[in-house]
Amino acid sequence: MATHRLDDLDRAIIRTFTDDPHVGVLAASRQLGVARGTVTARLARLSDSGVIASWAPHLDPAALGHPVTAMVTLQIRQVAGHDAVVEHLAGIPQVLEVHTITGYGDLFVRVVARSNADLQDVLDEVTAHEHVVRASTNIALATRIAHRTLPLVG
């Protein structure tokens, strides 16, 4: 995967849109003291290179009625590979992320639920696949640092 080097203007544009996603290109260009076309071109380049991964809204699962977050480590049967289990997990709406990992377990899964009782139902669905051998679950009690990427910008 190719990496994209950010210059000072790229970083300023990213910070501007992170601080106020509704700022708009014209307002951003005025704040940054550059032409609107420059901001538009930079945003296009940052999007095309994958630095800006999405313009979609960031949703809060708790506000959608899913205040319980848990991290699940799955051990799977290696005979079929990860694909079949990942496809199964992709069909579960409460599964937010799945990562292949090293160490104990094979997949790391972030799930949400409406309650602890609902979490049990979600876990039952997660582990219902024939290639899931074992699951270990940790419930998140509080979010101390939410998902972030802005510090990587520098």
Side-chain angles (χ1 to χ4, degrees):
M1 178 177 195
T3 60
H4 181 87
R5 290 195 175 262
L6 301 178
D7 64 17
D8 289 341
L9 182 56
D10 289 334
R11 285 190 278 280
I13 290 170
I14 291 169
R15 277 191 218 93
T16 298
F17 280 89
T18 300
D19 292 343
D20 182 7
H22 297 106
V23 68
V25 174
L26 181 58
S29 69
R30 288 178 178 158
Q31 285 179 24
L32 298 168
V34 297
R36 179 172 48 180
T38 300
V39 173
T40 300
R42 293 290 185 112
L43 287 172
R45 193 178 78 221
L46 291 167
S47 291
D48 291 346
S49 67
V51 171
I52 296 176
S54 173
W55 290 101
H58 181 78
L59 304 177
D60 181 357
L64 293 169
H66 294 82
V68 177
T69 299
M71 313 310 172
V72 184
T73 303
L74 298 179
Q75 289 182 333
I76 63 171
R77 285 189 183 83
Q78 298 298 320
V79 295
H82 295 82
D83 294 345
V85 176
V86 171
E87 185 177 328
H88 165 73
L89 295 171
I92 303 170
Q94 298 89 342
V95 171
L96 303 184
E97 295 177 59
V98 179
H99 302 271
T100 300
I101 59 172
T102 62
Y104 173 80
D106 301 298
L107 296 173
F108 188 72
V109 184
R110 184 166 69 104
V111 301
V112 294
R114 295 185 183 283
S115 64
N116 286 348
D118 183 47
L119 177 60
Q120 181 62 61
D121 293 338
V122 172
L123 294 173
D124 289 345
E125 193 171 356
V126 164
T127 59
H129 193 277
E130 65 181 334
H131 294 301
V132 174
V133 176
R134 177 168 293 142
S136 174
T137 304
N138 294 294
I139 297 174
L141 299 177
T143 300
R144 301 298 182 171
I145 299 175
H147 177 79
R148 64 189 186 145
T149 53
L150 193 56
L152 297 174
V153 172

